[in-house]
């Protein structure tokens, strides 16, 4: 019976290994495509307006609008001929009628770097178990047991350094998301009514994502005397309740940080939050594993506390 348990546990281990390696392969392909992207053709065009896109956490991307029709539709539904991704500094200085240089690439250099880092984070997190699985099996090969302890220690130290670096970057991304939420909900909030001109849902978007929902909002910001257009990712709850108009709030003087009035904590659950939760869980498991290894070194067992009664 004990043998069948070991076989079953090993079979589960192989299955998890296969799933994670498949995920690593997919992420590596996406990373390779990003690294091969050399950008597109540039040309000078006249803009008719500007808009932003906002994810669940309020992180913004800035766009110059090149055709009138794109002003009232989601940025994700617009082509490179209708909108052009620009930097925040360019966005702040841009007005209708200005000319800009556009590139038919669908992301800026900063966005490209962020995507590369995101793929690297996922690859490293997914690689922890496969590396451990391989190391565990190699350790049980009699011939390889004779490897010098210094070489093994150097390998583990290098691997730990890479993991710590990637986890540090993951926490930086997490911190930026938290800052975006705080900025959107802090300060004097102005409430107004926004018109919904476009909407879309994307069920099971991507391998690791949950279903995504989007609304295009347009409203008049009295404090800056300007019409504002925002493509906003929202929760399924908000999406199902939205009709033609919806109440929005934004910090005074920052209308592009608009969020839906009555937003609840559960409305922030999305693909990014799932990744952040995985990072936190893996971090906790690594800390717990280090604690157990320290306990074994002192007591000879992972689960027994040191007995001081015999001293």
């Amino acid at each position: 019976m004990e043998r069948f348990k070991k076989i079953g546990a090993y079979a589960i281990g192989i299955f998890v290994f296969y799933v994670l390696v498949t995920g690593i392969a997919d992420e590596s392909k996406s990373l390779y495509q990003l690294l091969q992207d050399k950008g597109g053709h540039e040309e000078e065009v006249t803009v008719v307006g500007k808009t932003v896109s906002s994810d669940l956490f309020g992180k913004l991307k800035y766009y110059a609008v090149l055709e009138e029709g794109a002003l009232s539709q989601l940025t994700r539904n617009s082509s490179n001929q209708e909108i052009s991704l620009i930097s925040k500094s360019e966005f702040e200085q841009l007005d209708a009628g200005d000319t800009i240089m556009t590139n038919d690439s669908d992301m800026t250099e900063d966005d490209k770097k962020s995507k590369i880092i995101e793929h690297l984070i996922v690859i490293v997190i997914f690689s922890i178990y496969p590396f451990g699985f391989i190391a565990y099996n190699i350790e049980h090969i009699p011939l390889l047991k004779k490897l010098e302890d210094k070489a093994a220690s150097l390998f583990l130290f290098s691997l730990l350094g890479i993991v710590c670096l990637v986890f540090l970057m993951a926490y930086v991304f997490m911190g930026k998301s938290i800052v975006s939420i705080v900025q959107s909900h802090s300060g004097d909030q102005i409430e107004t009514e926004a018109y919904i001109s476009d909407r879309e849902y994307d069920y099971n978007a991507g391998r690791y994502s949950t279903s995504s929902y989007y609304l295009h909002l347009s409203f008049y910001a009295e404090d800056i005397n300007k019409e504002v257009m925002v493509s906003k990712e929202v929760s399924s709850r908000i999406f199902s309740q939205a009709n033609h108009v919806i109440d929005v709030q934004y910090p005074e003087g920052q209308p592009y940080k608009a969020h839906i009035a009555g937003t609840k904590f559960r409305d922030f659950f999305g693909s990014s939050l799932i990744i952040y939760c995985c990072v936190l869980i893996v971090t906790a498991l690594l800390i717990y594993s280090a604690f157990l290894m320290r306990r074994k070194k002192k007591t000879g067992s992972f689960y027994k506390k040191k007995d001081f009664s015999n001293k």
Side-chain angles (χ1 to χ4, degrees):
M1 186 65 179
E2 189 68 27
R3 178 177 296 180
F4 284 113
K5 288 182 179 179
K6 289 182 178 180
I7 293 174
Y10 196 73
I12 293 173
I14 293 175
F15 175 74
V16 174
F17 178 86
Y18 170 77
V19 171
L20 291 176
V21 169
T22 301
I24 293 169
D26 289 340
E27 289 294 323
S28 298
K29 288 178 182 178
S30 298
L31 178 61
Y32 177 77
Q33 291 173 354
L34 276 174
L35 293 173
Q36 292 298 308
D37 182 15
K38 303 300 182 182
H41 174 69
E42 291 189 345
E43 63 175 331
E44 187 176 52
V45 296
T46 301
V47 305
V48 299
K50 57 185 181 181
T51 187
V52 303
S53 67
S54 173
D55 66 7
L56 280 174
F57 304 100
K59 181 181 177 182
L60 304 180
K61 287 186 178 181
Y62 304 89
Y63 296 88
V65 181
L66 312 180
E67 296 184 8
E68 289 287 348
L71 282 171
S72 59
Q73 66 187 30
L74 291 163
T75 55
R76 61 185 284 109
N77 291 336
S78 301
S79 66
N80 290 334
Q81 288 71 43
E82 295 174 309
I83 59 173
S84 178
L85 193 60
I86 57 177
S87 66
K88 181 180 179 181
S89 59
E90 290 175 317
F91 181 88
E92 291 173 343
Q93 299 174 9
L94 190 67
D95 290 309
D98 292 346
T99 59
I100 62 169
M101 296 299 296
T102 63
N103 191 305
D104 55 15
S105 176
D106 59 355
M107 65 177 68
T108 63
E109 282 300 314
D110 288 341
D111 290 323
K112 183 177 178 180
K113 289 177 183 177
S114 296
K115 285 291 183 183
I116 289 173
I117 292 174
E118 287 177 7
H119 286 302
L120 286 173
I121 290 172
V122 174
I123 288 172
V124 171
I125 292 174
F126 280 17
S127 299
I128 293 175
Y129 176 85
F131 269 114
F133 187 80
I134 293 172
Y136 174 81
N137 286 279
I138 289 178
E139 189 182 30
H140 288 75
I141 299 176
L143 180 63
L144 297 179
K145 283 184 178 180
K146 299 179 181 179
L147 289 174
E148 296 183 5
D149 290 340
K150 289 184 178 180
S153 298
L154 179 61
F155 171 76
L156 290 175
F157 181 79
S158 301
L159 181 61
L160 181 62
I162 295 172
V163 171
C164 289
L165 179 61
V166 171
F167 270 65
L168 178 62
M169 290 189 292
Y171 278 107
V172 169
F173 276 101
M174 194 186 309
K176 288 183 177 180
S177 294
I178 293 173
V179 169
S180 294
I181 294 173
V182 172
Q183 288 178 340
S184 297
H185 291 77
S186 61
D188 295 331
Q189 295 285 312
I190 295 178
E191 185 168 342
T192 187
E193 193 174 66
Y195 171 67
I196 300 172
S197 58
D198 195 12
R199 62 172 63 211
E200 184 180 283
Y201 59 86
D202 190 358
Y203 287 129
N204 299 317
R207 179 179 291 273
Y208 312 112
S209 302
T210 57
S211 299
S212 302
Y213 305 84
Y214 306 90
L215 297 174
H216 185 274
L217 311 173
S218 60
F219 58 91
Y220 185 74
E222 292 185 357
D223 54 329
I224 63 170
N225 192 28
K226 185 180 292 185
E227 185 77 16
V228 173
M229 286 81 170
V230 180
S231 291
K232 177 69 178 165
E233 183 180 2
V234 299
S235 68
S236 59
R237 180 185 71 87
I238 291 175
F239 186 86
S240 62
Q241 294 176 358
N243 294 312
H244 299 295
V245 294
I246 193 169
D247 291 331
V248 298
Q249 294 177 329
Y250 63 87
E252 186 176 3
Q254 303 181 72
Y256 291 104
K257 290 187 175 294
H259 58 275
I260 309 301
T263 298
K264 303 180 184 299
F265 175 75
R266 66 176 181 268
D267 293 326
F268 293 109
F269 279 84
S271 57
S272 297
L273 187 60
I274 291 172
I275 293 175
Y276 296 155
C277 289
C278 289
V279 171
L280 291 172
I281 291 171
V282 172
T283 300
L285 290 175
L286 289 174
I287 293 173
Y288 185 61
S289 298
F291 170 76
L292 291 179
M293 291 177 67
R294 185 171 180 272
R295 174 182 284 178
K296 183 179 181 182
K297 186 176 181 180
K298 286 187 173 182
T299 67
S301 172
F302 287 123
Y303 308 105
K304 293 182 181 178
K305 295 182 180 179
K306 191 171 182 178
D307 187 5
F308 294 97
S309 61
N310 295 327
K311 290 189 176 182

